[in-house]
Amino acid sequence: MEGFSRRSWLRLAGVASLLGGTFWHRTPRPSAQGHASSSNDYGHAGHSLGTVGRVSADRFNPMTYLRSWNFAHLPPAERQKFYRETPRPDGSLLREYEIFAVDREIEIAPGLFYPAWTYNGEVPGPTIRATEGDRVRITFLNQGRHPHTMHFHGWHPPDMDGALDAHQVLPGEQFIYEFDAEPFGLHLYHCHTVPLKRHIHKGLYGVFIIDPKTSRPPADELIMLMNGFDTNFDNDNEIYAVNTVANYFLTEPIRVTVGRPVRIYLVNVTEFDLVNSLHLHGMFFDVFRTGTSLVPHDNTDTVMLCQGERAILETTFRYPGMFMFHAHQSEFAELGWMGMFQAEGARRET
Ligand SMILES: [Cu+2]
C-alpha cells in the first residue's frame, strides 16, 4: 500500500494491541509533529503506557479546548461569527451563539478515526460560558443528516428544552434557544434525539458554565470532559479519554504553576458505563458538586461521577514535577483515560 511504511504499520499495531484488536481505522497519515522525539515517548512496545504516535491537532486540539470558552481561542473577526455579547440595561449581558450540527470524522487516537456527529465540527462542542442572570441566545442550525437538538441543563421554560418530538430540529432547519442563565454552576448541553445513547455518544455534547455574579477566586481554569467511543458499535467503549483524544495529556502534559490555584471543570458524558472518575496522584482537591455551592462538599483525591454529572475541583500544586491523573477504573485508564500535569515553579517555602 502506497505510503504505508513498516514504521506506520508498527504504530498502528501498537494501537491495535491497546484496543485488544477491536479497532477501526482508515489509511494512517503521518503526524505533523512526528512521534519519535518526545521526552515522554512511551510508545516503544505494546506493554508500555499509552498509545503510539500522535494525533493531528490541526482541527481539534485538546489543550486549546482545555482553556477556551465562548470561542475565545479564535481571532476576533472569526470569533464574531460564532459569539457576540451585548450589555443590557441591568448590567448583565446578552450572549449570542451560532452553533451548527455537522457530521465529521474525528481522530480519537493515533490513526484511529471515528465517524462523529458534532457541534461546530468538534467533540466536545464549544464551551458556552455565561454569568448568572445573563440572557443566552443560541441559534442552532442542523447541517447534519439526522434530526438533532440542543438540550441544556439549567433553568428554562419547557419549549426551550430540546427534548420532545415537537422540539426536533430536522436537517437543514434551525431553532433559536433562549433563556436566562441560572443557576450558577457547572452544567452541560447535549442532543436529546432518540435513540438518545447513540445521539449523545456520537459526539453531540458540550460544557455549559454559569459563573456566580460574584466571581470565584482567580485560578488557572481547566475544562475536562470525560468521554468514550464505541468504535465497533457493540454498545461498549473501546476508547476512553478526557477531551476526546486517548492519552493526549500523557504525551502533552498540562503545564501548571506551583502555588497558583487550579480549578478543574470536570464533566462526565461517558456513554455505556455507569460511572467514570478522576483520580489525581500526590495531592487532594476540594469538590464542589455541580458547582452550585461556593462551599466544598468534599476534600479527596478521587471523585466519581455518573453520566451527566459534573463537579468543580480546586487545588494548588505544592511541588514541582509530574503528577499523573486518570480514571480510577483501571480499564478506562488503560484504554486512554490517563494524563499528566507538569507543575513548574519553585518549591513552596514552608
Ligand atoms: Cu442528535
Side-chain angles (χ1 to χ4, degrees):
M1 188 181 294
E2 197 175 357
F4 199 85
S5 69
R6 179 168 167 76
R7 184 92 192 225
S8 59
W9 171 248
L10 289 173
R11 187 151 43 111
L12 266 177
V15 176
S17 77
L18 173 82
L19 301 178
T22 56
F23 79 116
W24 180 97
H25 73 89
R26 301 185 73 184
T27 306
R29 63 182 178 197
S31 161
Q33 296 153 304
H35 59 275
S37 59
S38 167
S39 58
N40 297 301
D41 191 357
Y42 297 102
H44 294 298
H47 58 264
S48 62
L49 285 176
T51 43
V52 180
R54 296 286 177 85
V55 162
S56 168
D58 294 349
R59 287 212 303 207
F60 175 75
N61 185 325
M63 195 71 82
T64 303
Y65 174 84
L66 190 73
R67 290 187 174 97
S68 181
W69 44 84
N70 294 342
F71 299 90
H73 61 292
L74 297 178
E78 184 73 6
R79 186 189 191 199
Q80 267 231 318
K81 295 179 191 169
F82 301 102
Y83 176 68
R84 292 172 296 280
E85 52 185 51
T86 311
R88 301 202 298 172
D90 65 356
S92 67
L93 292 176
L94 166 66
R95 298 179 190 263
E96 295 176 276
Y97 301 83
E98 303 284 331
I99 304 287
F100 58 95
V102 63
D103 302 351
R104 177 175 281 186
E105 198 169 74
I106 60 170
E107 193 175 8
I108 58 173
L112 180 61
F113 291 82
Y114 179 76
W117 298 344
T118 76
Y119 291 119
N120 291 35
E122 297 187 351
V123 177
T127 295
I128 291 173
R129 186 167 190 173
T131 300
E132 189 183 20
D134 285 348
R135 188 75 165 174
V136 176
R137 181 183 296 156
I138 292 155
T139 303
F140 172 60
L141 173 63
N142 184 2
Q143 296 183 335
R145 287 176 296 168
H146 303 266
H148 298 301
T149 68
M150 294 182 77
H151 164 72
F152 282 83
H153 287 224
W155 287 100
H156 53 244
D159 57 338
M160 292 293 137
D161 198 47
L164 300 178
D165 285 352
H167 299 160
Q168 301 305 310
V169 182
L170 300 177
E173 296 190 350
Q174 71 169 44
F175 185 82
I176 296 173
Y177 298 93
E178 184 163 342
F179 46 82
D180 293 323
E182 56 182 339
F184 76 78
L186 173 55
H187 312 307
L188 70 157
Y189 66 90
H190 57 83
C191 181
H192 213 299
T193 300
V194 291
L196 201 54
K197 68 180 178 181
R198 186 53 64 190
H199 279 252
I200 294 177
H201 162 260
K202 286 284 270 184
L204 290 166
Y205 46 77
V207 175
F208 177 35
I209 298 171
I210 302 179
D211 291 308
K213 280 183 175 161
T214 303
S215 57
R216 298 174 195 275
D220 185 5
E221 299 195 311
L222 310 173
I223 296 166
M224 293 191 182
L225 184 144
M226 302 189 288
N227 50 0
F229 295 92
D230 170 16
T231 58
N232 60 358
F233 312 107
D234 65 349
N235 291 335
D236 194 12
N237 294 307
E238 279 66 47
I239 285 282
Y240 293 86
V242 66
N243 299 354
T244 297
V245 179
N247 287 326
Y248 187 82
F249 298 116
L250 198 57
T251 46
E252 303 288 340
I254 300 169
R255 293 184 171 210
V256 293
T257 305
V258 172
R260 182 183 178 198
V262 169
R263 178 175 298 120
I264 297 170
Y265 293 89
L266 182 70
V267 178
N268 179 25
V269 193
T270 315
E271 192 62 76
F272 309 121
D273 293 287
L274 292 178
V275 295
N276 204 330
S277 63
L278 178 148
H279 168 55
L280 177 56
H281 285 208
M283 33 202 306
F284 272 62
F285 47 76
D286 285 338
V287 178
F288 304 78
R289 291 200 169 270
T290 321
T292 46
S293 169
L294 299 176
V295 179
H297 298 90
D298 199 2
N299 184 264
T300 179
D301 63 3
T302 305
V303 61
M304 180 177 78
L305 300 177
C306 181
Q307 188 188 14
E309 205 174 2
R310 58 273 183 199
I312 295 175
L313 317 179
E314 290 186 355
T315 190
T316 302
F317 285 76
R318 286 185 188 177
Y319 308 106
M322 305 299 285
F323 293 86
M324 183 178 277
F325 64 97
H326 57 84
H328 219 298
Q329 289 96 325
S330 308
E331 179 196 1
F332 299 0
E334 290 176 356
L335 290 173
W337 184 168
M338 183 183 288
M340 301 291 282
F341 281 106
Q342 183 174 348
E344 296 166 323
R347 185 183 295 267
R348 195 172 69 170
E349 298 298 324
T350 51

